[in-house]
Amino acid sequence: MKVRGVAVGVLLAIAAMLGGRLAAHEPGDLQYLPQLDRFALAEAFRRGGEAERAALEAELTPIAGANENAVVLGRDLDGDGDPDEIHFHLEVLEIQEEVYPGEYVSFWVFAPLGSAMGQAARLPSPTLRVEEGDHVAITLYNTHYLPHTIHLHGTNQPNAMDGVPHITQHEVLPGKSFTYRFTAGAPGTYWYHCHVQDHVHPLMGLSGMLIIEPNRPHNHFAHLVPGAGRIEPMAKATREQYQGEYSLVYMDIDDRLNRIPAAYSDPREIEKRMHRDYDSTQRKPNIFMLNGRSFPFTMRDTPLVVNPDESVKLRVLNVGAGIRHLHTHGHHPILTDVDGRAVPKEAQITRDTFTVGPGQRVDLALRTGNDGYYAAGPGVWLMHDHTQPAASNKGINPGGDHTVIVYRDFLGPDGLPLDQLGGHSAHSVYFNPEYYQGKLPVFDPKIFNSTIATYDKSWPDAPPTGGSFDYPRREALAALPRQDLIDAERHRPVASSCEERPRSTRRVVVKAGRQYAREGEVFAFEPREIHAERCEEIEIVLENNDEVRHDLMIPGLNPIFALNVVGPDTESARFVTPDEDITLFLHCHVPIHDKVGMVGKLIVGKGGEPKVLAQAPAAESKTYKGIGVVIATVPRMNRLIVNHEEIKGFMAAMEMSYPVTPPGLLNGLNPGDKIGFTIDAGKSTIVAIEVIEAAK
């Protein structure tokens, strides 16, 4: 696959790919897509109304942050008006997510192939959607430092495509790729996961839902959905029976396992501690998640929003190691499918609690309204796992995989369900990180005629009745550095390109790949030092000898230089050095590649103090003003992807993803809007947004 590099800012890389096609070493992928223009959308509307127009738009709209070839749609093999060749391009990334207030956890995920300075990774791994009879290809680019595979769980595929190491294939080694090919069989809910060291890797996040939709003519839908949650627009066959659809991925983790790759830097030590020291038979799950979040974030990320008198399809997948017992308050759903197979009508059951074992899938039909049998009326109804520990975040309740069935009239303007007081005051304490750190009382201290200040300072000194005894106590581990703050600090400009006409030019060939790595490394650049003169135009020729993506970036330079190449391939881009003697840090911007060897220096003139890896900045109240264009909003993650101008003193001109608080700031924003925003430097968080010019 050929992906051009990008030098962000004044200087751009050479021309982008022609027609969005894959390079010659992917001969089976022929682009089918029509242009996403008014004519195509109008024709879809004429054929099937607003639902079909929205479905076509969803199928053709690029994934924010991902490479334009993350999903390639091929020929219409059966002539029914939709593509029947679907090629997914996935890579393996290490990410850090805030799963509940104040709790940052490291995960490994499959993610759509990233772009220069961008990626669309989140937990869980993306939901993949295809149609019955489609010819499906999934290319796995192993951008990680450990071997991986993909196993398609429950589908019918050739034995050689089963993804089991040492039985059907070798592991896909770091820097290598492998393409899984199969024909989509019976419609249903399936999943995929890594089958290397499968007592550990799926529990790190290398698992996601796979949906095979029934075949219908002009069956358009988004084929890759980052994460999971509300599925819209629905595929045609689902729209025939349901008014809403959700994918619900349940997961339990022992955060001591997830802590290992964040706490250690040498891949050899990580391998030993995760695969040989960590005893999965003694794991103690303490974080329970729905779609990668725990309560209260689940109410913002995956509330089940319904209207009265609807039927809503719930696709449930358990990728964890524990058994989930899912209970719906006020509703009795119908079990319609198990493990991708329809339950005969006469065998379908209606219950308020469903058991889902590890690796199992159940499809439920949730009927709403107030019929006294399936539903008890509008409101905000809890839906949760009735396994008691799963109702907590590391032992503090409420937490875990709680979410709610919320009727639309009970949904606030910020997307959160209203509490019994008509607002969010009853839930506000749960969004305070100190609550889950055990620093705040569970109940109002006034109950005990006390205050927070005196709550635990006036207890009797007497020993416990019956003598001392022990009980399980919450384990308090020190917080690990926040990767988003480190990245924000690293991207602060420390030098600007020379504004004068370059005094000289230089061409530098940089090779990238596994073959240049040294002892204890996985990936590396060669050379690791680039020497240049002041105010010199540099052409970087990046020769990527691996089969995965590498992204050479000079983050302290303004404008930032980035050259992204999916190998094996060679591309080039140019930038101008600063008019000062300075040493700038350079690295591969693909997550964790710098951690395992892909770092270097740009030495300009005599050089200066080397720029070491940034540490998370201390909390500060300083704010900065920025101007940019909205690329995408991600309300489920409270994030905004924006292509912004230089924010002097804080960030170079670049495309960046920022958390946003309060979440309501995202309401009404659309891709293409030109905005002004205020960012809190200490938290690297946008705290105010103003639309300067709405998208046309």
Side-chain angles (χ1 to χ4, degrees), residues 310-325:
E310 285 186 339
S311 187
V312 178
K313 186 176 186 64
L314 307 181
R315 299 181 185 267
V316 180
L317 162 64
N318 180 10
V319 303
I323 299 174
R324 308 273 70 87
H325 301 278

Side-chain angles (χ1 to χ4, degrees), residues 198 216 347:
D198 54 316
R216 295 290 189 276

Side-chain angles (χ1 to χ4, degrees), residues 141-202:
Y141 299 93
N142 191 0
T143 44
H144 200 238
Y145 48 82
L146 296 178
H148 298 290
T149 64
I150 289 178
H151 167 62
L152 302 162
H153 188 122
T155 59
N156 294 324
Q157 63 269 351
N159 185 243
M161 299 288 109
D162 201 39
V164 181
H166 314 302
I167 294 180
T168 61
Q169 72 169 106
H170 296 295
E171 300 103 327
V172 183
L173 297 177
K176 297 295 185 179
S177 64
F178 185 88
T179 298
Y180 299 87
R181 299 184 185 274
F182 66 101
T183 299
T189 303
Y190 304 95
W191 67 301
Y192 64 100
H193 61 88
C194 179
H195 222 297
V196 175
Q197 297 292 303
D198 54 316
H199 66 309
V200 168
H201 289 199

Side-chain angles (χ1 to χ4, degrees), residues 237-530:
T238 309
R239 295 203 307 266
E240 293 167 3
Q241 300 182 60
Y242 298 94
Q243 290 72 52
E245 180 181 12
Y246 287 86
S247 55
L248 306 177
V249 180
Y250 288 84
M251 183 176 183
D252 58 271
I253 65 169
D254 176 352
D255 80 320
R256 297 172 302 174
L257 172 66
N258 299 70
R259 191 179 180 89
I260 292 172
Y264 300 97
S265 59
D266 191 304
R268 298 168 297 181
E269 185 172 11
I270 294 171
E271 182 278 320
K272 180 179 186 298
R273 291 183 180 276
M274 293 192 76
H275 298 144
R276 290 181 277 163
D277 289 351
Y278 179 83
D279 185 352
S280 61
T281 67
Q282 299 183 50
R283 73 187 295 266
K284 297 178 181 178
N286 57 359
I287 297 179
F288 303 85
M289 296 175 293
L290 167 61
N291 291 345
R293 299 292 182 268
S294 299
F295 180 91
F297 285 171
T298 48
M299 292 201 303
R300 183 182 68 201
D301 186 82
T302 314
L304 306 185
V305 182
V306 301
N307 293 307
D309 304 315
E310 285 186 339
S311 187
V312 178
K313 186 176 186 64
L314 307 181
R315 299 181 185 267
V316 180
L317 162 64
N318 180 10
V319 303
I323 299 174
R324 308 273 70 87
H325 301 278
L326 303 182
H327 172 48
T328 50
H329 287 214
H331 295 78
H332 287 68
I334 304 167
L335 178 67
T336 62
D337 300 78
V338 175
D339 289 346
R341 296 295 184 265
V343 176
K345 195 78 172 178
E346 61 276 10
Q348 293 181 1
I349 57 173
T350 299
R351 307 179 66 171
D352 63 28
T353 305
F354 291 89
T355 299
V356 188
Q360 287 189 320
R361 291 87 60 216
V362 299
D363 289 11
L364 306 177
L366 175 70
R367 295 188 179 179
T368 63
N370 189 11
D371 63 2
Y373 186 81
Y374 293 108
V380 180
W381 298 95
L382 188 66
M383 178 176 175
H384 65 107
D385 176 8
H386 230 295
T387 308
Q388 275 70 24
S392 73
N393 292 333
K394 291 189 175 180
I396 291 185
N397 176 280
D401 51 32
H402 282 38
T403 189
V404 289
I405 302 167
V406 53
Y407 285 69
R408 198 171 296 276
D409 288 346
F410 292 81
L411 197 66
D414 58 358
L416 284 170
L418 301 174
D419 60 30
Q420 67 269 31
L421 302 178
H424 300 318
S425 58
H427 295 141
S428 60
V429 66
Y430 307 132
F431 286 90
N432 184 345
E434 291 191 341
Y435 181 82
Y436 292 107
Q437 292 164 2
K439 297 178 181 179
L440 299 177
V442 169
F443 304 114
D444 188 339
K446 293 177 183 176
I447 295 175
F448 312 106
N449 297 303
S450 183
T451 66
I452 290 178
T454 61
Y455 191 82
D456 57 357
K457 292 182 171 56
S458 56
W459 299 351
D461 254 349
T465 302
S468 297
F469 62 97
D470 198 13
Y471 52 87
R473 297 175 184 269
R474 297 176 64 248
E475 187 176 20
L477 299 174
L480 291 168
R482 281 179 52 181
Q483 192 59 46
D484 60 336
L485 297 184
I486 292 175
D487 288 343
E489 182 70 11
R490 179 182 286 169
H491 287 91
R492 291 177 190 251
V494 296
S496 294
S497 293
C498 178
E499 296 181 358
E500 301 175 9
R501 183 174 180 175
R503 301 167 196 150
S504 58
T505 61
R506 186 187 304 259
R507 189 172 191 262
V508 180
V509 177
V510 178
K511 298 182 179 182
R514 288 194 63 203
Q515 66 196 82
Y516 310 109
R518 300 170 184 170
E519 175 77 18
E521 298 177 344
V522 179
F523 304 111
F525 291 124
E526 180 61 41
R528 302 183 183 212
E529 289 188 2
I530 299 174

Side-chain angles (χ1 to χ4, degrees), residues 659-682:
V660 175
T661 185
L665 293 176
L666 296 174
N667 293 346
L669 291 183
N670 296 296
D673 286 350
K674 184 177 181 180
I675 61 170
F677 58 92
T678 303
I679 193 160
D680 182 324

